[in-house]
PDB file of all heavy atoms in Angstrom:
ATOM      1  N   ARG A   1      87.411 101.779  79.052  1.00 93.00           N
ATOM      2  CA  ARG A   1      86.421 102.122  78.015  1.00 93.00           C
ATOM      3  C   ARG A   1      85.105 101.381  78.241  1.00 93.00           C
ATOM      4  O   ARG A   1      84.025 101.947  78.081  1.00 93.00           O
ATOM      5  CB  ARG A   1      86.976 101.831  76.632  1.00 93.00           C
ATOM      6  CG  ARG A   1      88.058 102.812  76.238  1.00 93.00           C
ATOM      7  CD  ARG A   1      88.590 102.521  74.854  1.00 93.00           C
ATOM      8  NE  ARG A   1      89.705 103.398  74.559  1.00 93.00           N
ATOM      9  CZ  ARG A   1      90.829 103.014  73.994  1.00 93.00           C
ATOM     10  NH1 ARG A   1      91.000 101.758  73.633  1.00 93.00           N
ATOM     11  NH2 ARG A   1      91.793 103.881  73.769  1.00 93.00           N
ATOM     12  N   TYR A   2      85.172 100.119  78.609  1.00 95.00           N
ATOM     13  CA  TYR A   2      83.966  99.345  78.885  1.00 95.00           C
ATOM     14  C   TYR A   2      83.209  99.943  80.068  1.00 95.00           C
ATOM     15  O   TYR A   2      81.989 100.096  80.013  1.00 95.00           O
ATOM     16  CB  TYR A   2      84.316  97.880  79.166  1.00 95.00           C
ATOM     17  CG  TYR A   2      83.104  97.052  79.509  1.00 95.00           C
ATOM     18  CD1 TYR A   2      82.263  96.594  78.503  1.00 95.00           C
ATOM     19  CD2 TYR A   2      82.796  96.748  80.825  1.00 95.00           C
ATOM     20  CE1 TYR A   2      81.132  95.847  78.810  1.00 95.00           C
ATOM     21  CE2 TYR A   2      81.675  96.004  81.147  1.00 95.00           C
ATOM     22  CZ  TYR A   2      80.847  95.554  80.129  1.00 95.00           C
ATOM     23  OH  TYR A   2      79.728  94.829  80.438  1.00 95.00           O
ATOM     24  N   ALA A   3      83.916 100.273  81.127  1.00 94.00           N
ATOM     25  CA  ALA A   3      83.267 100.868  82.301  1.00 94.00           C
ATOM     26  C   ALA A   3      82.577 102.181  81.924  1.00 94.00           C
ATOM     27  O   ALA A   3      81.450 102.442  82.360  1.00 94.00           O
ATOM     28  CB  ALA A   3      84.279 101.092  83.415  1.00 94.00           C
ATOM     29  N   LEU A   4      83.229 102.994  81.106  1.00 92.00           N
ATOM     30  CA  LEU A   4      82.610 104.243  80.661  1.00 92.00           C
ATOM     31  C   LEU A   4      81.340 103.969  79.868  1.00 92.00           C
ATOM     32  O   LEU A   4      80.324 104.651  80.050  1.00 92.00           O
ATOM     33  CB  LEU A   4      83.597 105.055  79.813  1.00 92.00           C
ATOM     34  CG  LEU A   4      84.724 105.741  80.573  1.00 92.00           C
ATOM     35  CD1 LEU A   4      85.798 106.215  79.605  1.00 92.00           C
ATOM     36  CD2 LEU A   4      84.190 106.893  81.394  1.00 92.00           C
ATOM     37  N   GLN A   5      81.360 102.972  79.001  1.00 92.00           N
ATOM     38  CA  GLN A   5      80.172 102.625  78.210  1.00 92.00           C
ATOM     39  C   GLN A   5      79.032 102.152  79.098  1.00 92.00           C
ATOM     40  O   GLN A   5      77.862 102.308  78.750  1.00 92.00           O
ATOM     41  CB  GLN A   5      80.509 101.540  77.190  1.00 92.00           C
ATOM     42  CG  GLN A   5      81.417 102.006  76.079  1.00 92.00           C
ATOM     43  CD  GLN A   5      81.918 100.848  75.233  1.00 92.00           C
ATOM     44  OE1 GLN A   5      81.697  99.677  75.529  1.00 92.00           O
ATOM     45  NE2 GLN A   5      82.634 101.190  74.159  1.00 92.00           N
ATOM     46  N   GLN A   6      79.360 101.586  80.250  1.00 94.00           N
ATOM     47  CA  GLN A   6      78.341 101.106  81.184  1.00 94.00           C
ATOM     48  C   GLN A   6      77.847 102.198  82.117  1.00 94.00           C
ATOM     49  O   GLN A   6      77.012 101.949  82.982  1.00 94.00           O
ATOM     50  CB  GLN A   6      78.883  99.926  81.996  1.00 94.00           C
ATOM     51  CG  GLN A   6      79.314  98.750  81.158  1.00 94.00           C
ATOM     52  CD  GLN A   6      78.222  98.266  80.221  1.00 94.00           C
ATOM     53  OE1 GLN A   6      77.107  97.993  80.648  1.00 94.00           O
ATOM     54  NE2 GLN A   6      78.545  98.176  78.941  1.00 94.00           N
ATOM     55  N   GLY A   7      78.365 103.415  81.960  1.00 92.00           N
ATOM     56  CA  GLY A   7      77.897 104.541  82.761  1.00 92.00           C
ATOM     57  C   GLY A   7      78.755 104.861  83.971  1.00 92.00           C
ATOM     58  O   GLY A   7      78.383 105.706  84.782  1.00 92.00           O
ATOM     59  N   ILE A   8      79.867 104.198  84.132  1.00 91.00           N
ATOM     60  CA  ILE A   8      80.761 104.482  85.251  1.00 91.00           C
ATOM     61  C   ILE A   8      81.686 105.613  84.829  1.00 91.00           C
ATOM     62  O   ILE A   8      82.352 105.529  83.804  1.00 91.00           O
ATOM     63  CB  ILE A   8      81.571 103.233  85.647  1.00 91.00           C
ATOM     64  CG1 ILE A   8      80.614 102.140  86.115  1.00 91.00           C
ATOM     65  CG2 ILE A   8      82.612 103.570  86.711  1.00 91.00           C
ATOM     66  CD1 ILE A   8      81.253 100.790  86.307  1.00 91.00           C
ATOM     67  N   HIS A   9      81.710 106.679  85.614  1.00 87.00           N
ATOM     68  CA  HIS A   9      82.498 107.856  85.252  1.00 87.00           C
ATOM     69  C   HIS A   9      83.489 108.273  86.335  1.00 87.00           C
ATOM     70  O   HIS A   9      84.152 109.284  86.196  1.00 87.00           O
ATOM     71  CB  HIS A   9      81.577 109.036  84.928  1.00 87.00           C
ATOM     72  CG  HIS A   9      80.710 108.762  83.753  1.00 87.00           C
ATOM     73  ND1 HIS A   9      81.155 108.826  82.455  1.00 87.00           N
ATOM     74  CD2 HIS A   9      79.421 108.380  83.674  1.00 87.00           C
ATOM     75  CE1 HIS A   9      80.185 108.524  81.630  1.00 87.00           C
ATOM     76  NE2 HIS A   9      79.120 108.241  82.348  1.00 87.00           N
ATOM     77  N   GLN A  10      83.559 107.508  87.413  1.00 87.00           N
ATOM     78  CA  GLN A  10      84.538 107.803  88.451  1.00 87.00           C
ATOM     79  C   GLN A  10      85.341 106.542  88.728  1.00 87.00           C
ATOM     80  O   GLN A  10      84.780 105.454  88.807  1.00 87.00           O
ATOM     81  CB  GLN A  10      83.851 108.273  89.738  1.00 87.00           C
ATOM     82  CG  GLN A  10      83.183 109.615  89.586  1.00 87.00           C
ATOM     83  CD  GLN A  10      82.582 110.089  90.899  1.00 87.00           C
ATOM     84  OE1 GLN A  10      82.330 109.307  91.807  1.00 87.00           O
ATOM     85  NE2 GLN A  10      82.359 111.378  90.989  1.00 87.00           N
ATOM     86  N   PHE A  11      86.643 106.703  88.862  1.00 86.00           N
ATOM     87  CA  PHE A  11      87.533 105.572  89.039  1.00 86.00           C
ATOM     88  C   PHE A  11      88.459 105.815  90.223  1.00 86.00           C
ATOM     89  O   PHE A  11      88.930 106.918  90.418  1.00 86.00           O
ATOM     90  CB  PHE A  11      88.391 105.364  87.777  1.00 86.00           C
ATOM     91  CG  PHE A  11      87.576 105.091  86.553  1.00 86.00           C
ATOM     92  CD1 PHE A  11      87.116 106.127  85.761  1.00 86.00           C
ATOM     93  CD2 PHE A  11      87.260 103.800  86.207  1.00 86.00           C
ATOM     94  CE1 PHE A  11      86.361 105.880  84.636  1.00 86.00           C
ATOM     95  CE2 PHE A  11      86.507 103.541  85.080  1.00 86.00           C
ATOM     96  CZ  PHE A  11      86.056 104.580  84.292  1.00 86.00           C
ATOM     97  N   LEU A  12      88.706 104.781  90.975  1.00 86.00           N
ATOM     98  CA  LEU A  12      89.688 104.811  92.042  1.00 86.00           C
ATOM     99  C   LEU A  12      90.817 103.880  91.627  1.00 86.00           C
ATOM    100  O   LEU A  12      90.656 102.668  91.556  1.00 86.00           O
ATOM    101  CB  LEU A  12      89.083 104.343  93.369  1.00 86.00           C
ATOM    102  CG  LEU A  12      90.026 104.276  94.557  1.00 86.00           C
ATOM    103  CD1 LEU A  12      90.616 105.651  94.848  1.00 86.00           C
ATOM    104  CD2 LEU A  12      89.301 103.727  95.763  1.00 86.00           C
ATOM    105  N   ASP A  13      91.951 104.462  91.287  1.00 83.00           N
ATOM    106  CA  ASP A  13      93.085 103.703  90.786  1.00 83.00           C
ATOM    107  C   ASP A  13      94.077 103.492  91.910  1.00 83.00           C
ATOM    108  O   ASP A  13      94.741 104.420  92.345  1.00 83.00           O
ATOM    109  CB  ASP A  13      93.727 104.457  89.621  1.00 83.00           C
ATOM    110  CG  ASP A  13      94.882 103.697  89.002  1.00 83.00           C
ATOM    111  OD1 ASP A  13      95.047 102.504  89.275  1.00 83.00           O
ATOM    112  OD2 ASP A  13      95.627 104.329  88.237  1.00 83.00           O
ATOM    113  N   LEU A  14      94.181 102.283  92.382  1.00 82.00           N
ATOM    114  CA  LEU A  14      95.132 101.942  93.435  1.00 82.00           C
ATOM    115  C   LEU A  14      96.326 101.255  92.779  1.00 82.00           C
ATOM    116  O   LEU A  14      96.415 100.041  92.729  1.00 82.00           O
ATOM    117  CB  LEU A  14      94.481 101.028  94.478  1.00 82.00           C
ATOM    118  CG  LEU A  14      93.240 101.601  95.153  1.00 82.00           C
ATOM    119  CD1 LEU A  14      92.581 100.563  96.034  1.00 82.00           C
ATOM    120  CD2 LEU A  14      93.587 102.837  95.932  1.00 82.00           C
ATOM    121  N   GLY A  15      97.214 102.045  92.250  1.00 75.00           N
ATOM    122  CA  GLY A  15      98.358 101.497  91.518  1.00 75.00           C
ATOM    123  C   GLY A  15      99.616 101.515  92.357  1.00 75.00           C
ATOM    124  O   GLY A  15      99.617 101.824  93.542  1.00 75.00           O
ATOM    125  N   SER A  16     100.700 101.208  91.695  1.00 69.00           N
ATOM    126  CA  SER A  16     101.981 101.118  92.381  1.00 69.00           C
ATOM    127  C   SER A  16     102.638 102.480  92.575  1.00 69.00           C
ATOM    128  O   SER A  16     103.629 102.600  93.278  1.00 69.00           O
ATOM    129  CB  SER A  16     102.925 100.224  91.580  1.00 69.00           C
ATOM    130  OG  SER A  16     103.173 100.815  90.313  1.00 69.00           O
ATOM    131  N   GLY A  17     102.114 103.496  91.909  1.00 69.00           N
ATOM    132  CA  GLY A  17     102.691 104.819  92.029  1.00 69.00           C
ATOM    133  C   GLY A  17     103.790 105.095  91.021  1.00 69.00           C
ATOM    134  O   GLY A  17     104.354 106.170  90.987  1.00 69.00           O
ATOM    135  N   ILE A  18     104.090 104.120  90.183  1.00 73.00           N
ATOM    136  CA  ILE A  18     105.103 104.319  89.144  1.00 73.00           C
ATOM    137  C   ILE A  18     104.441 105.076  87.997  1.00 73.00           C
ATOM    138  O   ILE A  18     103.454 104.608  87.435  1.00 73.00           O
ATOM    139  CB  ILE A  18     105.663 102.969  88.656  1.00 73.00           C
ATOM    140  CG1 ILE A  18     106.328 102.228  89.813  1.00 73.00           C
ATOM    141  CG2 ILE A  18     106.619 103.171  87.482  1.00 73.00           C
ATOM    142  CD1 ILE A  18     106.714 100.806  89.503  1.00 73.00           C
ATOM    143  N   PRO A  19     104.953 106.248  87.657  1.00 73.00           N
ATOM    144  CA  PRO A  19     104.304 107.022  86.585  1.00 73.00           C
ATOM    145  C   PRO A  19     104.452 106.329  85.229  1.00 73.00           C
ATOM    146  O   PRO A  19     105.536 105.859  84.875  1.00 73.00           O
ATOM    147  CB  PRO A  19     105.055 108.356  86.600  1.00 73.00           C
ATOM    148  CG  PRO A  19     106.275 108.137  87.399  1.00 73.00           C
ATOM    149  CD  PRO A  19     106.089 106.920  88.236  1.00 73.00           C
ATOM    150  N   THR A  20     103.348 106.220  84.530  1.00 75.00           N
ATOM    151  CA  THR A  20     103.340 105.622  83.198  1.00 75.00           C
ATOM    152  C   THR A  20     102.473 106.460  82.278  1.00 75.00           C
ATOM    153  O   THR A  20     101.703 107.305  82.734  1.00 75.00           O
ATOM    154  CB  THR A  20     102.776 104.190  83.217  1.00 75.00           C
ATOM    155  OG1 THR A  20     101.432 104.245  83.690  1.00 75.00           O
ATOM    156  CG2 THR A  20     103.592 103.270  84.089  1.00 75.00           C
ATOM    157  N   VAL A  21     102.591 106.227  81.014  1.00 74.00           N
ATOM    158  CA  VAL A  21     101.740 106.885  80.038  1.00 74.00           C
ATOM    159  C   VAL A  21     100.466 106.062  79.914  1.00 74.00           C
ATOM    160  O   VAL A  21     100.510 104.841  79.891  1.00 74.00           O
ATOM    161  CB  VAL A  21     102.462 106.975  78.674  1.00 74.00           C
ATOM    162  CG1 VAL A  21     101.555 107.559  77.619  1.00 74.00           C
ATOM    163  CG2 VAL A  21     103.730 107.790  78.810  1.00 74.00           C
ATOM    164  N   GLY A  22      99.327 106.754  79.850  1.00 77.00           N
ATOM    165  CA  GLY A  22      98.057 106.044  79.720  1.00 77.00           C
ATOM    166  C   GLY A  22      97.492 105.606  81.053  1.00 77.00           C
ATOM    167  O   GLY A  22      97.022 104.488  81.202  1.00 77.00           O
ATOM    168  N   ASN A  23      97.533 106.507  82.043  1.00 81.00           N
ATOM    169  CA  ASN A  23      96.929 106.214  83.340  1.00 81.00           C
ATOM    170  C   ASN A  23      95.414 106.116  83.197  1.00 81.00           C
ATOM    171  O   ASN A  23      94.836 106.544  82.203  1.00 81.00           O
ATOM    172  CB  ASN A  23      97.255 107.330  84.337  1.00 81.00           C
ATOM    173  CG  ASN A  23      98.722 107.363  84.680  1.00 81.00           C
ATOM    174  OD1 ASN A  23      99.301 106.339  84.981  1.00 81.00           O
ATOM    175  ND2 ASN A  23      99.313 108.537  84.608  1.00 81.00           N
ATOM    176  N   VAL A  24      94.757 105.569  84.210  1.00 83.00           N
ATOM    177  CA  VAL A  24      93.308 105.405  84.177  1.00 83.00           C
ATOM    178  C   VAL A  24      92.619 106.733  83.900  1.00 83.00           C
ATOM    179  O   VAL A  24      91.742 106.831  83.044  1.00 83.00           O
ATOM    180  CB  VAL A  24      92.788 104.789  85.503  1.00 83.00           C
ATOM    181  CG1 VAL A  24      91.277 104.827  85.566  1.00 83.00           C
ATOM    182  CG2 VAL A  24      93.295 103.372  85.661  1.00 83.00           C
ATOM    183  N   HIS A  25      93.006 107.797  84.612  1.00 78.00           N
ATOM    184  CA  HIS A  25      92.328 109.078  84.418  1.00 78.00           C
ATOM    185  C   HIS A  25      92.598 109.650  83.028  1.00 78.00           C
ATOM    186  O   HIS A  25      91.742 110.301  82.446  1.00 78.00           O
ATOM    187  CB  HIS A  25      92.688 110.082  85.521  1.00 78.00           C
ATOM    188  CG  HIS A  25      94.118 110.499  85.527  1.00 78.00           C
ATOM    189  ND1 HIS A  25      95.102 109.777  86.155  1.00 78.00           N
ATOM    190  CD2 HIS A  25      94.739 111.563  84.963  1.00 78.00           C
ATOM    191  CE1 HIS A  25      96.261 110.381  85.981  1.00 78.00           C
ATOM    192  NE2 HIS A  25      96.075 111.465  85.266  1.00 78.00           N
ATOM    193  N   ASP A  26      93.778 109.402  82.469  1.00 83.00           N
ATOM    194  CA  ASP A  26      94.071 109.862  81.104  1.00 83.00           C
ATOM    195  C   ASP A  26      93.194 109.150  80.087  1.00 83.00           C
ATOM    196  O   ASP A  26      92.631 109.772  79.183  1.00 83.00           O
ATOM    197  CB  ASP A  26      95.537 109.616  80.745  1.00 83.00           C
ATOM    198  CG  ASP A  26      96.497 110.491  81.521  1.00 83.00           C
ATOM    199  OD1 ASP A  26      96.097 111.602  81.941  1.00 83.00           O
ATOM    200  OD2 ASP A  26      97.651 110.065  81.704  1.00 83.00           O
ATOM    201  N   ILE A  27      93.063 107.840  80.227  1.00 84.00           N
ATOM    202  CA  ILE A  27      92.238 107.055  79.311  1.00 84.00           C
ATOM    203  C   ILE A  27      90.781 107.491  79.419  1.00 84.00           C
ATOM    204  O   ILE A  27      90.105 107.711  78.415  1.00 84.00           O
ATOM    205  CB  ILE A  27      92.373 105.549  79.608  1.00 84.00           C
ATOM    206  CG1 ILE A  27      93.806 105.091  79.373  1.00 84.00           C
ATOM    207  CG2 ILE A  27      91.395 104.737  78.758  1.00 84.00           C
ATOM    208  CD1 ILE A  27      94.106 103.716  79.940  1.00 84.00           C
ATOM    209  N   ALA A  28      90.288 107.626  80.649  1.00 83.00           N
ATOM    210  CA  ALA A  28      88.887 108.009  80.845  1.00 83.00           C
ATOM    211  C   ALA A  28      88.610 109.390  80.277  1.00 83.00           C
ATOM    212  O   ALA A  28      87.604 109.594  79.592  1.00 83.00           O
ATOM    213  CB  ALA A  28      88.542 107.969  82.342  1.00 83.00           C
ATOM    214  N   HIS A  29      89.480 110.339  80.540  1.00 81.00           N
ATOM    215  CA  HIS A  29      89.246 111.698  80.060  1.00 81.00           C
ATOM    216  C   HIS A  29      89.373 111.782  78.541  1.00 81.00           C
ATOM    217  O   HIS A  29      88.617 112.482  77.889  1.00 81.00           O
ATOM    218  CB  HIS A  29      90.198 112.683  80.732  1.00 81.00           C
ATOM    219  CG  HIS A  29      89.845 114.108  80.474  1.00 81.00           C
ATOM    220  ND1 HIS A  29      88.719 114.693  81.003  1.00 81.00           N
ATOM    221  CD2 HIS A  29      90.433 115.055  79.719  1.00 81.00           C
ATOM    222  CE1 HIS A  29      88.647 115.947  80.585  1.00 81.00           C
ATOM    223  NE2 HIS A  29      89.680 116.180  79.798  1.00 81.00           N
ATOM    224  N   HIS A  30      90.316 111.049  77.967  1.00 81.00           N
ATOM    225  CA  HIS A  30      90.489 111.051  76.513  1.00 81.00           C
ATOM    226  C   HIS A  30      89.289 110.398  75.826  1.00 81.00           C
ATOM    227  O   HIS A  30      88.843 110.849  74.781  1.00 81.00           O
ATOM    228  CB  HIS A  30      91.771 110.322  76.126  1.00 81.00           C
ATOM    229  CG  HIS A  30      92.013 110.273  74.658  1.00 81.00           C
ATOM    230  ND1 HIS A  30      92.304 111.396  73.920  1.00 81.00           N
ATOM    231  CD2 HIS A  30      91.983 109.237  73.779  1.00 81.00           C
ATOM    232  CE1 HIS A  30      92.438 111.056  72.646  1.00 81.00           C
ATOM    233  NE2 HIS A  30      92.258 109.749  72.541  1.00 81.00           N
ATOM    234  N   THR A  31      88.741 109.338  76.433  1.00 79.00           N
ATOM    235  CA  THR A  31      87.608 108.628  75.859  1.00 79.00           C
ATOM    236  C   THR A  31      86.309 109.379  76.070  1.00 79.00           C
ATOM    237  O   THR A  31      85.450 109.403  75.208  1.00 79.00           O
ATOM    238  CB  THR A  31      87.492 107.221  76.480  1.00 79.00           C
ATOM    239  OG1 THR A  31      88.732 106.540  76.271  1.00 79.00           O
ATOM    240  CG2 THR A  31      86.374 106.424  75.845  1.00 79.00           C
ATOM    241  N   ASN A  32      86.168 110.009  77.242  1.00 72.00           N
ATOM    242  CA  ASN A  32      84.925 110.693  77.591  1.00 72.00           C
ATOM    243  C   ASN A  32      85.282 111.932  78.399  1.00 72.00           C
ATOM    244  O   ASN A  32      85.630 111.835  79.566  1.00 72.00           O
ATOM    245  CB  ASN A  32      84.035 109.756  78.408  1.00 72.00           C
ATOM    246  CG  ASN A  32      82.732 110.387  78.794  1.00 72.00           C
ATOM    247  OD1 ASN A  32      82.483 111.555  78.535  1.00 72.00           O
ATOM    248  ND2 ASN A  32      81.874 109.611  79.425  1.00 72.00           N
ATOM    249  N   ALA A  33      85.144 113.102  77.792  1.00 63.00           N
ATOM    250  CA  ALA A  33      85.530 114.346  78.463  1.00 63.00           C
ATOM    251  C   ALA A  33      84.684 114.632  79.695  1.00 63.00           C
ATOM    252  O   ALA A  33      85.053 115.470  80.518  1.00 63.00           O
ATOM    253  CB  ALA A  33      85.448 115.516  77.488  1.00 63.00           C
TER     254      ALA A  33
END
């Protein structure tokens, strides 16, 4: 959310690959379409 407020709209998520609820892209899209 902070990154979105600062004008960042693209994210590269280098995670473990374990599916979870509330991934980076889900949070970003829900906060800012």
Side-chain angles (χ1 to χ4, degrees):
R1 289 181 185 136
Y2 178 79
L4 286 166
Q5 291 170 353
Q6 301 306 307
I8 298 170
H9 297 282
Q10 293 183 340
F11 300 89
L12 178 60
D13 183 14
L14 302 173
S16 63
I18 299 171
T20 61
V21 176
N23 292 312
V24 171
H25 65 275
D26 291 333
I27 297 167
H29 191 69
H30 180 68
T31 303
N32 180 356

